Amino acid sequence: MRKQASVESTAEAYLELLAARGVEYFFANAGTDFAPLIEAYARRSAQGHARPRPLTVPHEVTAVGMACGYAMVTGRPQVVMVHTIVGTANALGGIMNASRSNVPVLFSAGRNPITEAGELGSRDRQIHWAQESFDQAGLVREFVKWDYELRNFGQLETVVDRALAIAQAEPQGPVYLTLPREVLGERQEAFEYSDPARAPRPSALAPDGETVAEAARLLATARHPIVITKALGRDPAAVPALVELAETLGLPVFEQAPTHLNFPQDHPLHAGFDPAAGVAEADVIIVAECDAPWYPHLRGPRPETKIVQVAVDPLFSRYPIRGFHGDVALAGAPRLALRALADAVTPLLDRAVATERRERLGARHAKEREARAARTRALAADTPIDMAWLSHAIGEFIDERTIMVNEYDFDQSQAAMRVPGSYFAASPAGGLGWGLGSALGAKLAAPDKTVICCVGDGAYIFGSPTAAHFVSRAYDIPALFVVFNNRMWNAVKKAVQTHAREGWAVKTGAMPLTELDPAPDYELICRASGGHAERVEDPGKLHDALRRALHAVREEKRQALLNVICKKP
Ligand SMILES: Cc1ncc(C[n+]2csc(CCOP(=O)(O)OP(=O)(O)O)c2C)c(N)n1
């Protein structure tokens, strides 16, 4: 159907189209390049058009995080718009994260005015000469699927629809659109477009029957098959498909540095978070959406072990190097591949073998959980608080309506999360600062859920906390932030310890460049934006502090922060 809207500028037509395409939020960090858009927003608002809702996000790290959090929960891309080359540069770490985590985002930036005079929007500020680069998109091109500069009004619909369609096509990821001020500011009277969009939306792909049959034959005769996964749960529908396959075969499922909820953690076939022993023993390994299932430098599978790769893109084509084998590679939507595999393997299966494995693994799972619980209980009174105990305490408050955003220190093995789409961890690209914004985006996407964001003290600082707490208050987005405060960058320290096990740093205890002492009173940063915030040092008071913080978030509808003083490793 064709639709017509009365508009005064290209910028207004752009907003009209984004709204029509279901974009709900416009996460913006504005500059002089935004003038036509702000003007267009003012007109739309005067006429009662609320979408896409503009949110002022005073740091790009937070803005990209929010768009990622929203898309991770809903699967729908939102718009982030930043200021020219400088805003793009600030946002880049977040875009790298989104790229490697396959999060669709319409990332956009104003373009310095092109013309020196003569057009509405031409250069009229001191920065307008120096703030131009030869190739603005070149700053991000390696980490976006597509980039383009809007050249004129006539191509607006094609460009926006193409951007949104490419971001959402598998493998999903961010796209980048630059918007010159002259084009945005151009006078228009009317805008006509198709509604719904007519850009092609590629269907999900399924692997061919012959390759599925080959994988099924390998699995049917395997004695010690295992699964290793990291990001399968990006598609929540893939989780029950993996459960079905695992139950059919009696397959242990290991999660390797998971970024999503891939398999219910209380399921008897959940084999934990360290696949090393399983890898050494396995004769067939299903690598399901996992970029680095083991570290060949340390220890890999035996040479005769067969590897089945299951992924949207089993080559991880955008990674310069990834040498993990794939004797069989099932490309396409993993939910379809895994279901097809379960169907194909069922008639070939020796049921007695599968049953024996299921029972043995189930007993082991129960024993390991008990042993872990006992180890954690022994830490209950440790002061400063042990991170495992903190994770355990948080785990006790996680219910079916909780979303966990974890940037590093929450130890998943201490909880028993089971709802697909309820857990998100930092991207393997490792750009710190993702957590706070992502938690806010997740809460925007799921206002009825409780969002708990666990961050290290390092990750908290990288997340531009002043901006995040500002946004939480300004737009009523209450989340609980828990700072695992060990007053250091332990990840960096651990790298030194494994790099030189008996070296100078280990022997002398000197670890320059890893300390975050004296630590700020992080609770004051949250309180400055009206949040409920506490410092927690006594492990015996942790549960009550969590209760109060969750009450603030759920009942008072305001953000909360616990600055938990943790043991230094
Ligand atoms: C943008 C960016 N800068 C630096 C790093 C390197 N880095 C990886 S982990 C880490 C420390 C994280 O500290 P914290 O959040 O306190 O967790 P901890 O390591 O103490 O558990 C750093 C600095 C990074 N990943 N990203």
Side-chain angles (χ1 to χ4, degrees), residues 204-530:
L205 299 176
D208 67 291
E210 214 168 287
T211 314
V212 172
E214 204 183 329
R217 279 194 297 276
L218 284 178
L219 283 170
T221 51
R223 306 305 294 178
H224 300 290
I226 68 169
V227 178
I228 305 178
T229 177
K230 172 188 274 184
L232 185 82
R234 179 167 70 83
D235 174 7
V239 177
L242 179 58
V243 170
E244 186 193 327
L245 180 71
E247 288 176 350
T248 306
L249 279 158
L251 271 176
V253 177
F254 293 89
E255 292 191 273
Q256 161 77 314
T259 50
H260 296 75
L261 189 298
N262 301 300
F263 197 76
Q265 288 159 13
D266 56 353
H267 192 290
L269 291 170
H270 193 286
F273 299 88
D274 181 4
V279 167
E281 193 193 30
D283 51 3
V284 174
I285 303 178
I286 299 180
V287 176
E289 286 295 0
C290 187
D291 57 354
W294 54 83
Y295 309 126
H297 176 57
L298 304 180
R299 189 173 181 183
R302 290 172 289 135
E304 63 274 23
T305 300
K306 297 289 184 200
I307 313 295
V308 179
Q309 301 263 359
V310 178
V312 162
D313 172 16
L315 286 173
F316 289 79
S317 321
R318 299 299 304 152
Y319 287 25
I321 278 290
R322 179 182 183 272
F324 295 99
H325 297 162
D327 298 291
V328 182
L330 302 181
R335 66 171 189 282
L336 302 178
L338 293 171
R339 286 220 187 281
L341 198 50
D343 289 348
V345 82
T346 302
L348 309 178
L349 201 62
D350 180 340
R351 279 169 205 285
V353 171
T355 307
E356 183 278 322
R357 269 201 303 255
R358 260 196 314 266
E359 285 168 2
R360 181 164 43 84
L361 291 165
R364 191 165 83 188
H365 173 92
K367 228 164 105 190
E368 279 172 8
R369 280 200 88 83
E370 263 169 42
R372 189 179 311 117
R375 283 197 301 276
T376 310
R377 276 196 303 276
L379 300 169
D382 282 12
T383 311
I385 293 168
D386 193 283
M387 284 191 181
W389 179 245
L390 173 55
S391 302
H392 173 77
I394 294 168
E396 289 185 310
F397 288 92
I398 293 175
D399 61 18
E400 307 270 307
R401 304 200 53 74
T402 301
I403 292 177
M404 161 68 68
V405 173
N406 182 19
E407 192 164 17
Y408 274 119
D409 285 325
F410 174 76
D411 176 355
Q412 269 192 293
S413 71
Q414 297 294 340
M417 297 189 72
R418 64 174 77 86
V419 181
S422 69
Y423 176 85
F424 303 98
S427 165
L432 278 173
W434 158 95
L436 305 184
S438 289
L440 295 172
K443 178 68 182 174
L444 268 185
D448 297 337
K449 300 227 170 130
T450 303
V451 175
I452 303 180
C453 175
C454 293
V455 282
D457 47 338
Y460 180 73
I461 297 175
F462 275 100
S464 193
T466 321
H469 293 308
F470 163 84
V471 169
S472 172
R473 173 158 74 176
Y475 300 108
D476 298 318
I477 318 172
L480 166 59
F481 303 98
V482 182
V483 181
F484 285 55
N485 184 355
N486 59 5
R487 299 159 311 289
M488 66 173 356
W489 288 342
N490 186 37
V492 181
K493 180 175 172 177
K494 279 195 294 199
V496 181
Q497 289 164 337
T498 47
H499 169 74
R501 284 179 200 284
E502 289 166 31
W504 286 94
V506 169
K507 271 197 254 172
T508 62
M511 283 284 175
L513 309 181
T514 64
E515 295 288 332
L516 288 179
D517 238 345
D521 297 329
Y522 297 115
E523 60 277 19
L524 300 185
I525 307 176
C526 179
R527 265 186 229 145
S529 281

